[in-house]
Structure formats: structure tokens, C-alpha cells
Amino acid sequence: MGGFAALQVLKPRPAVRQPAKQLTLVRAAPVEFRAGALAVTGNGLVAPRLEVVVAAEVSGRVAFVNPSLVTGGAFARDDELVRLDPEPFRAALAQADADRRSAEASLRLAERLLERTEGLIKQGFLSRQTLDERVANRDQARAALARAEALERQRRIDLERTVIRAPFRGKVLAKSVAVGETVQPGKTLARIFADDALEIAVSLTDRDVALIADPWRRGPEGGGAKATVNVEHGAGAYSWPAHVDRVEAAVDSATRTFNVVVRVDDPSARGVPRSAAAAAAAAPPLLVGMYATVEIVGRDQGRYAVVPRRALRGGDVVWLLGERDTVSIRPVRVIYEGRDTVAMAADGLPEGARVVVSDLKVVTEGMAVRVVGDGAGRPRSATRHDRSHRLDGAPPPWPPTCSRCSS
């Protein structure tokens, strides 16, 4: 029994090992370096440059409506849109003309009587009171003639207003008049707009506006920074060349954003297809009310870095991963925030850098982590072919300048 106990005491014991430390699992993405200009992106509705409500200025029966005065119809400058029955106005003008001629005759008579009276007074045949009466009669005749002439002008203007002409070349948004209808002054007959240009007001932050090269500058024709208007139609997407026309005078008090107005000078041109599906279909013109995405070419930023938006912490911090998968908390200067990506200054960011895109409860400087599902790939350094690329990495909508962009 004692020997058995001795064997139990003297038998070798298994080695005791400390449990392996469990590292936090994270996902990482590469820092992509680019160079050139950023495209500032915003959204808005296509609106007319100039919209007018066509209304009657006189009352009357509608005698003619231009066949082009239908929703979507086109017209030229000075085209006759609506005409009221002119006969009542011609009759009123003829009466006013007769009243004017009568007032002229009365004035001539009053002036002759005054001349005779002055001669008789000099001869001592009439009193001074008679002269005063003749002067008053002449002045009254002059006033009556002035009223008659003013009334004749008004009747002539009323006759001209029976014809409503287009003040510019454009298209019809809405129509609310028909032949035979009796209209009153102020009655809306149609809504029209100038089709020589369309506009999109894009709300941008002050940081976005600062990326545009002098958006407040307006040349002789109002041309500012180049832009592209993109619209989805059917199964495809189409684009139109545009430019920054102006920045509205006031900042939105609710959102503290600037309304940058982008102008398309040839909206009737068919959109440029941006995909194979779009190329196979009939391209539409740019229409009022379309929802558009606008890309404005910004200033040349030189070399900058792009990371996924979810890698940005607290608005100005990223978690960099070192060579041994240790975390470095790095403050950055954000240049532009897109929908899915963020551009920031490349100062101090090494080539091949990676950022943590996972959400962690606790992060400390130098903390070791384990990267899983590392689909980060190899970071790409920018060359000059990146100029004017959008923040999501897609090629510019205008023709590229190198074979790499066009591939």
C-alpha cells in the first residue's frame, strides 16, 4: 500500500501551459491613394431656368388657341398662343377715336373764341370777366382732349392685349383654356417655360463648396466649373454636360447648406448612354422634374487618400493597422465625404496602409488584432489618370484621357 502511494507521488505530472491569448478579430480595407481632382456629388430636381404663367389681361371670349399650346408642346418667340374676340375692343377703340376728334374740335372752337374775345376787349367792347370765361373754356377743352387721348390709348392697348404672344422660345407645362371659353382678367391660361436651358439646385456643405474652383465667379456667359448631370431612365443611365452657373445668395437657415445651381445649356439633346442597357434603348432628352445626380469637377487636390466611409471614426480619426496587425489611432484631415467613401489628406499615411472597418467597443493604441476575411487586396497608388475620378472609383462620365480609364 505504501509503495502504491509512493508511485503516485513520484509519477511525472503533465506540463501546465498558459491559455493562448485571444486576439480581437477585425476586418480591414486598404488605403487607396489617388491624385487629381475630386468630383463633388449632389442631387436635385431638374427645373426651368425661367417659368411664366400666361394669364388674360382683359375679359373676352377665346377665339383662337395655338395647336402647340398643349402639355409638352413647343413654340417660338412671339408665336401667337391665345387670341380673344377682338370685335368688342375694336368698337370701343372706334368710339374712343370719335370722342378724341370731338374733343379736338371743341378745343379749336374754344381757342378761336378766346382770340376774338381778346380783340374785342382791346377795342373796349367786352369786359375782363368775359375774357376769364373764355380762358377757362379753353383750358377745359384741353383737359377734355387729354382725357379722350388717354382713353383712346387704353382702348388700343386693350385691343392689343386680345392677342397673347410667347415672350420667349419654350415649351408648355400646363394648359387651362379652350376656344369659346369666356375669360376674365387674371385668368390663368397656361404655364410655359424657356427651354434654352434647365437648372438643378444642389445642396452642398461648406466643405463641398470649398472643393469647387471659385463657384462665385461668373464669366461673360455665366460659365463656371464643369459638371455632369446624370439621370436614370428605364433600365439605363444617361448624362448631359453642364456647368456651375451660380451659388444662390442665401445659406439655408435650417440645414446650413449652400444651393449651387448647375445649368444644362442644351437640354433638348439626347442623353449620353452610360451603360450597355442605356445604349440599347432610345435616349431621352432632359425633362423638367427629373431626379438628377450632379457631379461637379473640383479643384486639383494633388495626392490624397480614399478609405471606406465606415473606417472614419468620430469625423476625423481612422484606425491604421501596422505590419504586425497592431492598431494605431491616427487623426486625419477629411477633404470630402461621399456616400460610401471618404477622401482625406495623404500626409503621414504610408504606402500599403490598411484601416480597420469593423466596429469595436474598446480600442487602444498599439492593440494587437487578428485580421479575418482580409479581402483588402493590394492598395493602388494614384497616377495622373485618376484626375477627375469620382470618389467611388468609377471613371469620369466624359471621355477618358488614357487607355487605363477607358478599359
Side-chain angles (χ1 to χ4, degrees), residues 80-143:
E80 186 176 343
L81 301 179
V82 178
R83 183 173 67 249
L84 305 182
D85 183 5
E87 291 307 319
F89 298 91
R90 288 173 180 167
L93 177 59
Q95 182 178 353
D97 180 66
D99 293 342
R100 176 187 57 79
R101 291 198 301 269
S102 176
E104 288 175 345
S106 297
L107 176 60
R108 286 195 296 270
L109 176 60
E111 288 174 343
R112 291 193 188 102
L113 289 175
L114 178 59
E115 290 176 2
R116 292 174 185 173
T117 300
E118 289 174 343
L120 292 173
I121 288 176
K122 290 179 180 179
Q123 298 175 15
F125 294 108
L126 293 177
S127 65
R128 187 73 184 178
Q129 181 180 356
T130 303
L131 177 62
D132 293 340
E133 291 175 355
R134 295 289 186 264
V135 171
N137 290 340
R138 187 220 33 208
D139 293 342
Q140 290 175 355
R142 285 179 176 176

Side-chain angles (χ1 to χ4, degrees), residues 133-167:
E133 291 175 355
R134 295 289 186 264
V135 171
N137 290 340
R138 187 220 33 208
D139 293 342
Q140 290 175 355
R142 285 179 176 176
L145 176 60
R147 286 195 300 270
E149 290 174 342
L151 182 60
E152 183 185 21
R153 287 195 299 271
Q154 183 60 53
R155 294 292 181 259
R156 196 176 304 279
I157 291 173
D158 290 344
L159 178 59
E160 293 173 354
R161 287 175 174 173
T162 60
V163 178
I164 301 175
R165 299 186 179 277

Side-chain angles (χ1 to χ4, degrees), residues 200-251:
I200 303 97
V202 183
S203 294
L204 299 176
T205 64
D206 55 350
R207 176 182 287 172
D208 297 340
V209 174
L211 295 177
I212 304 172
D214 195 2
W216 287 274
R217 179 186 61 83
R218 299 194 68 187
E221 299 181 356
K226 291 184 178 180
T228 302
V229 173
N230 305 303
V231 170
E232 293 185 0
H233 177 75
Y238 303 87
S239 64
W240 288 261
H243 62 84
V244 173
D245 184 68
R246 65 189 183 279
V247 179
E248 293 186 358
V251 177

Side-chain angles (χ1 to χ4, degrees), residues 2-19:
F4 178 76
L7 289 175
Q8 292 295 322
V9 173
L10 297 176
K11 74 176 182 178
R13 296 181 178 275
V16 178
R17 296 181 180 177
Q18 294 293 333

Side-chain angles (χ1 to χ4, degrees), residues 169 195-198 240-242 263-271 285-286:
R169 189 197 77 185
D195 67 348
D196 60 332
L198 294 178
W240 288 261
R263 175 167 169 162
V264 179
D265 287 325
D266 190 12
S268 59
R270 300 295 185 93
L286 190 62

Side-chain angles (χ1 to χ4, degrees), residues 316-318 329-333:
D316 60 353
V317 171
V318 295
I329 302 175
R330 182 71 60 87
V332 294
R333 180 172 61 86

Side-chain angles (χ1 to χ4, degrees), residues 55 119 123-124 144 208 213 297 302 333 339 354 369 399:
Q123 298 175 15
D208 297 340
V297 178
R333 180 172 61 86
R339 184 179 62 181
R354 297 171 297 161
V369 295

